């Protein structure tokens, strides 16, 4: 993008003979344009303007460049809400499928394929690939647009479960199909739409983003119940296949309607810059470092409840149907949290305040309710509170990044943050599974889960402390909407 200087000005007699006040100088300041007269040819004027480039063209941003990417935002309209609806559909299937993995895991444990700690690794791979490929997939979306990337992702998320249906007695094959292939497709779909609402909404940004991210919770609830019912009526093989066909049928039409407002950034351009995919200057900003550390820690415990609630339910004597309904309730609460915290952030608290509250409540509910939930009522209470707050964390991230660092750098900053989540995605549920096995396994009842619960709750509180520190660096005014 090149800034063009216009050589046409209105001349007026100054009201005072006092010299004009000097302009503040900076390295990026631009010399005032020259009038186009016979003594100053237009060609010379335009040659000077051609040397002035924008941050979008160079890919370089100052650490304090927290400006918006557009002069105006629709904040409404058919096209804007169509993007929200399509993004919701993609989250409904891809992320909802990940959130309902606990039902498949419970069925595979009962089948005797592998211990819960081993099978939890498949779910960990599904979510971890989102973080591992955050930077390259984010770059793919900026180069080719969300539509093409989401179409490829839709095919992968459909084919993964379909092929996995033929591999239910082979852990490695399940890891490659349901873990790797499905996970790659989910990551492609995620980055196609994760920040898309921020391109269309400003005043309602958290609301729109919350609606999109609510698709994960609603999808997790629906797929948890449907998977549980399918397992009763058809075989595990056909349950995988039917889920894959449903996902493909929903995802492909949704992907075809996606449209970005930002211009594409080809891989091969005249101005190559590493800052298009990675901005090292961000590490000089304490807010970014603390946000990166805090959210990276938060991902270790965040998927422990949805992956282990069905197994925990059966361990304390609940039926498999009740256990799958518990997971459905967790996911519905998660959907409500994504919308509720989005609305609350826009109207009352702000994104950063809301994110701090989310992580704090996730930790407290894990430590104060789950260890004592040995019957249906307290377990439902835990699932609702923890799911509501955990869901808010995901939906608030784009709004938090946009409010702290500006939407102009939203794609780069968001990709860098998500890439730091890979260890938590990979190891978080797996560590909980290892702790469970070390203390006797699911057959030992609720007591065997308590070390894993303590691990999850403690890490959530540490993550909350990091985000609260970012909040204080942003503003010392505790009552300010941030």
């Amino acid at each position: 993008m090149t800034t063009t200087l216009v050589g046409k000005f209105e001349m007026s007699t100054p009201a005072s003979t006092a010299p004009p006040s000097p302009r503040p100088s900076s390295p990026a300041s631009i010399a005032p344009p020259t009038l186009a007269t016979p003594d100053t040819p237009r060609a010379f004027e335009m040659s000077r303007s051609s040397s002035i480039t924008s941050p979008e063209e160079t890919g370089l941003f100052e650490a304090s460049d927290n400006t918006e990417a557009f002069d105006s935002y629709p904040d409404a309209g058919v096209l804007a809400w169509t993007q929200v609806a399509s993004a919701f559909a993609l989250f409904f299937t891809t992320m909802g499928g990940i959130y309902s993995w606990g039902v498949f895991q419970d069925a595979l444990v009962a089948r005797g394929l592998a211990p819960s700690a081993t099978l939890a690794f498949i779910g960990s791979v599904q979510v971890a690939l989102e973080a591992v490929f955050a930077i390259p997939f984010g770059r793919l979306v900026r180069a080719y647009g969300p539509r093409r990337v989401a179409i490829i992702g839709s095919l992968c998320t459909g084919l993964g479960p379909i092929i996995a249906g033929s591999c239910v007695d082979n852990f490695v094959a399940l890891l490659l199909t349901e873990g790797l292939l499905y996970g790659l497709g989910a990551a492609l779909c995620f980055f196609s739409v994760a920040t898309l609402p921020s391109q269309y909404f400003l005043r309602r940004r958290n609301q729109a983003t919350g609606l999109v991210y609510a698709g994960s919770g609603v999808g997790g609830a629906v797929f948890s119940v449907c998977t549980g019912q399918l397992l009763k009526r058809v075989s595990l093989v056909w349950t995988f296949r039917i889920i894959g066909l449903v996902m493909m049928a929903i995802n492909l039409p949704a992907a075809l309607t996606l449209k970005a407002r930002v211009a594409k950034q080809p891989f091969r351009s005249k101005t190559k810059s590493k800052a298009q995919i990675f901005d090292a200057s961000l590490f000089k900003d304490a807010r970014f470092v603390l946000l990166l550390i805090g959210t990276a820690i938060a991902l270790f415990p965040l998927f422990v409840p949805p992956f282990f609630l069905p197994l925990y339910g059966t361990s304390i004597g609940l039926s498999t149907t009740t256990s799958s309904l518990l997971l459905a309730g967790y996911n519905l609460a998660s959907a409500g949290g994504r919308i509720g915290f989005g609305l609350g952030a826009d109207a009352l608290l702000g994104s950063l305040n809301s994110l701090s509250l989310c992580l704090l409540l996730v930790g407290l509910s894990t430590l104060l309710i789950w260890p004592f939930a040995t019957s249906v009522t307290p377990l439902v209470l835990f699932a609702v509170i923890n799911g509501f707050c955990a869901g808010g964390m995901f939906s608030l991230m784009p709004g938090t990044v946009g409010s702290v660092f500006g939407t102009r750098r939203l794609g780069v900053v968001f990709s860098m943050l998500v890439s730091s989540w890979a260890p938590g995605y990979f190891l978080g549920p797996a560590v909980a599974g290892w702790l469970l096995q070390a203390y006797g396994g699911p057959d030992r009842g609720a007591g065997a889960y308590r070390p894993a619960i303590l691990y999850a709750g403690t890490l959530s509180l540490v993550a909350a402390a990091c985000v609260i520190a970012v909040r204080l660096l942003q503003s010392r005014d505790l009552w300010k909407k941030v």
Side-chain angles (χ1 to χ4, degrees), residues 93-345:
T93 53
T94 57
M95 302 307 294
I98 292 174
Y99 272 93
S100 62
W101 168 249
V103 180
F104 277 115
Q105 179 177 298
D106 197 18
L108 290 166
V109 168
R111 192 182 181 92
L113 177 62
S116 58
T118 305
L119 290 169
F121 191 67
I122 295 177
S124 297
V125 169
Q126 290 177 337
V127 294
L129 291 177
E130 172 191 310
V132 170
F133 292 100
I135 293 177
F137 282 2
R139 185 68 187 92
L140 273 177
V141 173
R142 293 195 293 276
Y144 297 106
R147 183 181 302 163
R148 294 179 181 179
V149 176
I151 288 173
I152 297 173
S154 300
L155 293 173
C156 292
T157 52
L159 290 173
I162 290 172
I163 301 173
S166 303
C167 312
V168 293
D169 293 314
N170 188 317
F171 172 77
V172 175
L174 269 180
L175 181 63
L176 293 175
T177 54
E178 183 67 10
L180 186 61
L181 183 58
Y182 179 89
L184 285 171
L188 288 167
C189 291
F190 176 85
F191 283 103
S192 298
V193 297
T195 59
L196 192 59
S198 295
Q199 298 180 20
Y200 287 87
F201 294 88
L202 179 61
R203 184 171 54 86
R204 299 177 176 175
R205 178 172 294 163
N206 285 300
Q207 177 187 352
T209 304
L211 287 170
V212 169
Y213 280 67
S216 303
V218 176
V222 171
F223 279 104
S224 296
V225 174
C226 290
T227 301
Q229 293 302 311
L230 283 171
L231 288 169
K232 288 183 174 181
R233 289 166 171 76
V234 299
S235 65
L236 179 60
V237 171
W238 274 103
T239 299
F240 271 113
R241 291 172 180 170
I242 291 171
I243 293 297
L245 290 170
V246 169
M247 288 189 175
M248 196 177 295
I250 295 174
N251 289 349
L252 283 174
L256 290 171
T257 64
L258 299 179
K259 182 178 181 181
R261 291 184 71 203
V262 296
K264 295 178 182 177
Q265 300 175 9
F267 278 108
R268 296 180 180 180
S269 61
K270 295 181 181 179
T271 55
K272 295 181 180 179
S273 173
K274 292 182 180 179
Q276 291 178 337
I277 60 173
F278 186 85
D279 189 354
S281 68
L282 286 166
F283 289 97
K284 300 177 182 179
D285 190 334
R287 298 171 305 167
F288 174 80
V289 174
L290 284 169
L291 189 61
L292 182 144
I293 293 172
T295 56
I297 293 174
L299 262 293
F300 276 85
L302 214 61
F303 279 89
V304 172
F307 280 13
F308 286 90
L309 267 178
L311 195 61
Y312 182 86
T314 55
S315 293
I316 62 173
L318 303 180
S319 67
T320 54
T321 300
T322 303
S323 297
S324 63
L325 288 174
L326 272 174
L327 182 58
Y330 175 94
N331 286 317
L332 280 177
S334 175
R338 292 162 199 254
I339 298 173
F341 272 105
L343 291 170

